Amino acid sequence: MKTITWKTLKEFGITYLEKKGVSHAHAEEITELAVQTEAMGVRTHGMAVYTYFEQAIPADLVPEAEPEVVKEKGPTALIDGNSGFSQLSLLLACSIGLEKVRKYGTAVIAGRNCSWLAALGTYLLPISEKGYLAQLWAQTSTCKDAAPFGGYDPRFSTNPIALSFPTSPGLSLSDISTTSISMGRLHNMIERGEQAPEAIFLNSQGVLSKNPQDVLDGGSILFLGGQQLGHKGYGLSLFNEALAANAGGSCNNPASEMRQSFTLIIIDPEAFGGTEYYEHEIQRFIAHVKSSRKRPGFSEIRLPGERRMQLLEASRSEGISMDDTLVEKLNTLAQRYSLPEIR
Amino acid sequence: MKTITWKTLKEFGITYLEKKGVSHAHAEEITELAVQTEAMGVRTHGMAVYTYFEQAIPADLVPEAEPEVVKEKGPTALIDGNSGFSQLSLLLACSIGLEKVRKYGTAVIAGRNCSWLAALGTYLLPISEKGYLAQLWAQTSTCKDAAPFGGYDPRFSTNPIALSFPTSPGLSLSDISTTSISMGRLHNMIERGEQAPEAIFLNSQGVLSKNPQDVLDGGSILFLGGQQLGHKGYGLSLFNEALAANAGGSCNNPASEMRQSFTLIIIDPEAFGGTEYYEHEIQRFIAHVKSSRKRPGFSEIRLPGERRMQLLEASRSEGISMDDTLVEKLNTLAQRYSLPEIR
């Protein structure tokens, strides 16, 4: 592990994107999200996004494309990413959503035709910090990660969902794939030579497996709930696909271009039971949850995202702890584009 | 198993509720939902609701209470159930939601202070039959069903979610608890002397268990995802609690009265990528999903709710297949209140 400063990673990311033809302002926005995600300890979806950019530009991702609002009706809006950075589409969605939720009590912003969004949760922090509840659903058109419940031909990406709500002070942030694990975590398991503790994979012949390599060899990841209860993750994932069709995007389709669709839903407690009541009740409830006795191996009852938020805060003064392998990969890019080395 | 006609169950339910002081119109609405749920094969949440009514009226459920809209803002509304039948609150929410979604492209209707909603999915059928996507979240204030991830003192109800979307023709309907199984299914397992195939329970000392009785003896049901991945179900369940606080309802609180809160979210494809595009894309995608090869033991790749919809359709002419035990329980009520016997 290496400890790297925010400043170093920001400089690397911004300079890299500028060399790829991205404006300084957009390079700054995209990099801020990546560094923040890395600082939260989400190693699979943080600075790793630059290795994705390197593969995706310009084949799957047009670096100079601007997202645009193609439809708007009261509390709703639809954004077309124009095959550009999904980060820009989703930041636009968040900004429009925040305006609308104040006016309407809720907002639903959908996006299509975007590149890889990486970690969904990061986008929701500023929304719940402002006192709103938020859901974010995202889907990829071409992945072959998961098979329908009862089948073994992959027809779904890992179709993640992020859910956040204010805990006053603070917030809770759950960022989950609707499959047992994400592809990022799968690749990490393979790199480390790990097997899953339970059979959460199918091999290419539909046989249960604990070996992550089987997924890359034509198999799939079981939905959340696994062999017995995977119909639940399947249901969540299908709703994600329906939202992609709702956005005018492409549901899973091996013949399509690699694109993501997303749907952001924001809710303002002030339009319902009132912010004051919400804050008081959620505080009481969180204390009630945290008072539970702990199982062996758990030092604390945590809310989803709680540890990530602590890492994020500490990273401002202490720097960001990074995997050596990722730093090496980024330094290969640094060398290729004459960027300052990360160290 | 016994086969009972719709007419018999409707007569039983309406007459029972009228004897409890419910108006004929409301008795009809509540019974229609219960029979429909039973007809869909959801035996834990169908006609079983009458055995719940018998226990809950009048201690937890005021039979003559009317739900009321206590707040309204653009696409949002808040309903107070006034401790009455949750069925009436949620039917009101659906009706307001359908009006609002046409106007605003989305609608978010929250409810609080309701009794037991039973099966969430049934309420969503008419919404997705009209071409909309819908989410329904529900939470109960007093249950001790599930412990926070890493803990073993129960702090959550099974906090279910229902998700529906049009498949043009037809619809997909997923109705899931955010715990591994629902309490209804747990009671059924106990009645049948079944153990779970995996350790999805904790006993009162936080030790993993396959024995459903342990839950009733002070233990809990693991969240969806189980021991390894239960943080995912935990995240979904917590969001359900935050929505309860948003509705001005009570989050989990053993000191509170037994009440449910709910949040209904409706989305109109016409406000986003357009209904025509949606229908075309979802049809293509569903065909793609269903073309997957099947695993042993599965005769078909089904969408969530597909079999339930088939049972519902068949029940109109063929009657409803019911568990003997439930029919016996209902006939005890029939005798107590001089209602016609179910047979």
Side-chain angles (χ1 to χ4, degrees), chain B residues 79-286:
Chain B
I79 291 168
D80 195 306
N82 288 324
S83 311
F85 285 98
S86 58
Q87 285 81 355
L88 303 177
S89 289
L90 195 40
L91 287 172
L92 178 60
C94 292
S95 136
I96 295 174
L98 281 169
E99 275 172 39
K100 287 185 180 292
V101 73
R102 282 183 195 116
K103 183 166 174 193
Y104 293 102
T106 189
V108 180
I109 319 293
R112 67 186 181 205
N113 218 355
C114 298
S115 65
W116 187 45
L117 291 160
L120 301 188
T122 316
Y123 300 90
L124 301 186
L125 295 185
I127 297 177
S128 285
E129 276 164 2
K130 290 185 181 68
Y132 305 109
L133 289 77
Q135 296 181 8
L136 178 57
W137 300 68
Q139 169 270 9
T140 315
S141 59
T142 49
C143 295
K144 293 182 173 185
D145 304 337
F149 189 68
Y152 65 98
D153 286 315
R155 297 288 190 260
F156 295 84
S157 89
T158 54
N159 287 1
I161 311 171
L163 302 166
S164 70
F165 59 92
T167 51
S168 310
L171 55 88
S172 168
L173 172 63
S174 187
D175 190 350
I176 62 173
S177 58
T178 52
T179 47
S180 293
I181 60 169
S182 70
M183 284 305 286
R185 185 153 159 217
L186 183 113
H187 285 293
N188 282 359
M189 288 178 73
I190 293 172
E191 274 182 18
R192 292 179 199 145
E194 289 174 10
Q195 301 274 303
E198 303 165 336
I200 54 170
F201 309 121
L202 295 178
N203 72 12
S204 63
Q205 296 313 300
V207 178
L208 286 167
S209 156
K210 296 180 179 182
N211 182 2
Q213 183 60 41
D214 280 340
V215 178
L216 301 192
D217 296 339
S220 58
I221 309 174
L222 288 178
F223 277 116
L224 174 61
Q227 191 193 5
Q228 299 292 333
L229 302 166
H231 62 282
K232 299 195 181 194
Y234 177 43
L236 292 165
S237 186
L238 275 165
F239 195 76
N240 222 330
E241 296 285 346
L243 286 171
N246 178 70
S250 176
C251 295
N252 192 277
N253 185 359
S256 69
E257 290 180 299
M258 201 298 275
R259 292 288 180 270
Q260 286 205 330
S261 297
F262 66 82
T263 300
L264 170 69
I265 302 174
I266 314 180
I267 294 174
D268 180 8
E270 195 54 31
F272 295 90
T275 304
E276 200 180 335
Y277 177 89
Y278 174 87
E279 290 180 352
H280 188 263
E281 179 62 4
I282 209 82
Q283 276 173 12
R284 181 202 60 72
F285 170 65
I286 298 301

Side-chain angles (χ1 to χ4, degrees), chain A residues 153 155 249 277 281 288 293, chain B residues 153 155 249 251 277 288 293:
Chain A
D153 285 314
R155 297 289 188 259
Y277 177 88
E281 180 61 5
H288 175 51
R293 286 171 293 175
Chain B
D153 286 315
R155 297 288 190 260
C251 295
Y277 177 89
H288 176 50
R293 286 171 293 175

Side-chain angles (χ1 to χ4, degrees), chain A residues 304-325:
Chain A
E306 194 172 327
R307 193 155 161 279
R308 291 184 180 178
M309 241 55 81
Q310 289 162 354
L311 287 172
L312 178 61
E313 208 183 311
S315 74
R316 299 282 177 183
S317 53
E318 296 166 18
I320 300 167
S321 170
M322 286 183 72
D323 265 337
D324 294 332
T325 325

Side-chain angles (χ1 to χ4, degrees), chain A residues 233-245:
Chain A
Y234 177 44
L236 292 165
S237 187
L238 275 165
F239 194 76
N240 222 331
E241 295 286 344
L243 286 170

Side-chain angles (χ1 to χ4, degrees), chain A residues 216-275:
Chain A
L216 301 192
D217 296 341
S220 57
I221 309 174
L222 288 179
F223 277 116
L224 175 60
Q227 190 194 4
Q228 299 291 334
L229 302 166
H231 63 281
K232 299 196 180 193
Y234 177 44
L236 292 165
S237 187
L238 275 165
F239 194 76
N240 222 331
E241 295 286 344
L243 286 170
N246 177 69
S250 175
C251 295
N252 193 278
N253 185 358
S256 69
E257 290 180 300
M258 200 298 277
R259 291 288 180 269
Q260 287 204 327
S261 297
F262 66 82
T263 299
L264 171 68
I265 302 175
I266 314 180
I267 293 174
D268 180 7
E270 195 53 31
F272 295 90
T275 304

